[in-house]
Amino acid sequence: MEDRLLKDKRILLGVTGGVAAYKAVVLASRLTQAGAIVDVVLTEAATRFVTPLSFESVTRRRAYVDMFELGDNDRPGARPGDVSIPHLALARGADLVIIAPATANTLAKLAHGVADNLLTAAVLAAPAPLLIAPAMESHMWEHPATQANLAMLQARGVTQIGPATGHLASGATGVGRMSEPEEIIAAARLVLARHGDMAGRSVVVSAGGTREAIDPVRFIGNRSSGKMGYALAHAARDRGAQVVLVAAPTALPEPYGVRLVRVESASQMRDAVLAALEGADALVMAAAVADYRPLQPSEQKIKKAHEHLTLELTRTPDILEEVAALRAAGRGPRVVVGFAAETSDLLANAQVKLQQKRLDLIVANDVSVPDSGFAVDTNRVTLLYADGTIEPLPLMYKEEVAHIIWDRVQRLW
Ligand code: C5P
């Protein structure tokens, strides 16, 4: 599936001579499928493990090895037959350079600016950010020379992913395995996001449905899947924001590049949200927070001894009302967004909450229709603003809703 952040990005993928080079073919393929334009440069040593043709087959673009072979000039304005100098042409257009696998030898060359092959020459000539995925035998990794080279690269702002610990080509188990293609892509997305339109902003998002204990094994919960809140966290991260995601239990995978704070109950969510708000520019409460909790949770599992059982419930803290009080005292985030999940009188109920919780924006969500609300990937919402404006949105994916919410938050900032 195409990826908003990777689509049409020019990625220079350097492949150096290690057995993990075969995984770089998968990486090149995934990046291409996500919509990126991938130019692959192999070192001579890499060609002993994989061929340029492997990469050309998945990227549908030329792959390069030879520093002294002129390439086709695909620069705008070039005339048919014009040639280009490969390391300069490759360097010029790149939005990001990834080296995967990066051997100890190539790390050493990069650290010292050695440009004796097409890849290292292109890296020297490329102003784009550099992401390295080292892969080597444990002793080579731990050697002071390698560690010193890495320290130099890190000091220059190079981003490193891995290496992981696991089975190595030597047959031993240890540190030195190249990170998996999915992890490298997640790291690449984070590097590309750095200059997004939310760079420098810090936001707090809550997600999921809280659980209120009845006894040690049972709880009162709700149908929130967490998808909307996670989509908001992903979108803000992809636009360069620092994100704290306060999440009640969900079945969703842990997001990359987001600070995740796991909570269970409304009261834990309150504590975590208030702690995270320090210095935050916005809070979006997408979590379905319980309004009531059992007054006295049983310490032991409740036995089925009686025909009827009555649970006494009491109110939980209203997080958004506490945030409103903070803001009234001149503290708290500049923009606060709430959600209203309703099954009747959607807009009227949302309007009341907008005012009661003194929000800048409320996202009204009819959860009684099948294509919207809990556990589905799509949402049909209406945005209600403090100034009385009402903005209905068509049915769309939660990711798209998330981006629109951040667009509106930007406007409110
Ligand atoms: O009042 P209601 O629960 O319908 O309001 C929904 C909005 O208020 C959501 O944004 C939800 O995250 C937030 N909320 C809260 N604290 C609660 C209950 C809900 O902040 N105890």
Side-chain angles (χ1 to χ4, degrees):
M1 198 173 89
E2 275 192 354
D3 180 308
R4 207 178 153 117
L5 194 58
L6 290 167
K7 188 166 163 28
D8 297 331
K9 290 288 179 345
R10 293 189 76 120
I11 296 179
L12 174 56
L13 173 61
V15 181
T16 71
V19 65
Y22 78 92
K23 286 203 264 181
V25 179
V26 178
L27 175 62
S29 172
R30 300 255 166 89
L31 288 167
T32 305
Q33 287 170 48
I37 302 157
V38 185
D39 286 314
V40 177
V41 176
L42 296 90
T43 60
E44 281 290 344
T47 63
R48 307 293 287 267
F49 294 93
V50 280
T51 67
L53 182 62
S54 311
F55 290 101
E56 290 173 334
S57 307
V58 296
T59 63
R60 297 180 296 280
R61 294 176 66 78
R62 272 193 62 188
Y64 302 83
V65 182
D66 190 347
M67 169 117 114
F68 302 104
E69 183 193 342
L70 296 175
D72 304 328
N73 196 333
D74 60 0
R75 188 162 38 163
R79 291 157 307 178
D82 282 359
V83 293
S84 71
I85 300 168
H87 70 279
L88 298 180
L90 289 165
R92 190 193 322 118
D95 295 299
L96 172 68
V97 181
I98 304 176
I99 304 185
T103 57
N105 181 42
T106 293
L107 292 179
K109 289 183 186 180
L110 295 174
H112 296 279
V114 175
D116 67 343
N117 63 33
L118 178 59
L119 175 61
T120 53
V123 171
L124 264 193
L130 173 61
L131 170 66
I132 53 171
M136 66 199 72
E137 202 273 326
S138 303
H139 292 94
M140 295 175 82
W141 171 252
E142 284 155 8
H143 196 284
T146 303
Q147 291 302 315
N149 291 331
L150 277 167
M152 283 170 75
L153 293 170
Q154 280 161 6
R156 272 185 230 143
V158 172
T159 306
Q160 177 188 324
I161 172 90
T165 299
H167 174 76
L168 302 173
S170 64
T173 298
V175 63
R177 265 177 81 82
M178 186 175 89
S179 295
E180 293 304 318
E182 294 72 30
E183 294 170 84
I184 298 173
I185 291 176
R189 297 180 80 263
L190 215 53
V191 174
L192 286 168
R194 264 186 220 151
H195 303 293
D197 62 353
M198 289 175 69
R201 297 292 190 177
S202 115
V203 300
V204 180
V205 176
S206 72
T210 60
R211 294 177 174 182
E212 308 301 326
I214 297 171
D215 67 19
V217 291
R218 304 179 180 100
F219 57 80
I220 298 177
N222 61 66
R223 295 187 190 280
S224 170
S225 62
K227 285 183 177 171
M228 190 62 237
Y230 274 60
L232 280 157
H234 293 161
R237 172 204 60 199
D238 286 354
R239 292 165 76 156
Q242 299 283 339
V243 183
V244 181
L245 176 62
V246 180
T250 72
L252 300 171
E254 182 161 333
Y256 188 85
V258 163
R259 190 155 80 76
L260 179 67
V261 182
R262 293 188 191 277
V263 297
E264 286 230 342
S265 65
S267 130
Q268 287 170 352
M269 180 165 277
R270 171 206 172 270
D271 293 349
V273 167
L274 293 184
L277 279 185
E278 190 66 46
D281 299 296
L283 166 66
V284 181
M285 283 289 297
V289 186
D291 293 324
Y292 292 93
R293 66 172 174 83
L295 178 62
Q296 219 118 50
S298 167
E299 280 181 21
Q300 303 299 329
K301 186 179 167 191
I302 299 172
K303 300 275 178 262
K304 45 175 177 288
H306 305 285
E307 202 48 42
H308 297 280
L309 176 67
T310 305
L311 285 176
E312 193 180 348
L313 303 181
T314 182
R315 282 292 307 268
T316 54
D318 192 300
I319 304 167
L320 283 176
E321 281 180 16
E322 287 195 42
V323 173
L326 263 185
R327 294 216 291 171
R331 290 179 290 135
R334 170 68 198 81
V335 175
V336 178
V337 179
F339 273 71
E342 305 290 345
T343 55
S344 63
D345 299 322
L346 177 63
L347 295 189
N349 281 321
Q351 195 72 54
V352 170
K353 285 176 191 173
L354 176 71
Q355 275 152 9
Q356 214 165 47
K357 302 183 188 227
R358 281 173 276 173
L359 305 173
D360 300 294
L361 167 61
I362 193 157
V363 184
N365 197 181
D366 184 346
V367 290
S368 66
V369 291
D371 55 6
S372 192
F374 293 142
V376 293
D377 291 329
T378 51
N379 229 356
R380 189 195 307 274
V381 301
T382 300
L383 308 181
L384 291 84
Y385 298 83
D387 69 0
T389 317
I390 295 178
E391 183 186 8
L393 297 178
L395 182 73
M396 53 178 87
Y397 283 105
K398 287 180 174 172
E399 285 74 17
E400 298 173 285
V401 176
H403 277 288
I404 290 177
I405 292 171
W406 291 123
D407 288 343
R408 303 304 180 260
V409 167
Q410 300 249 55
R411 220 191 269 159
L412 292 164
W413 274 333

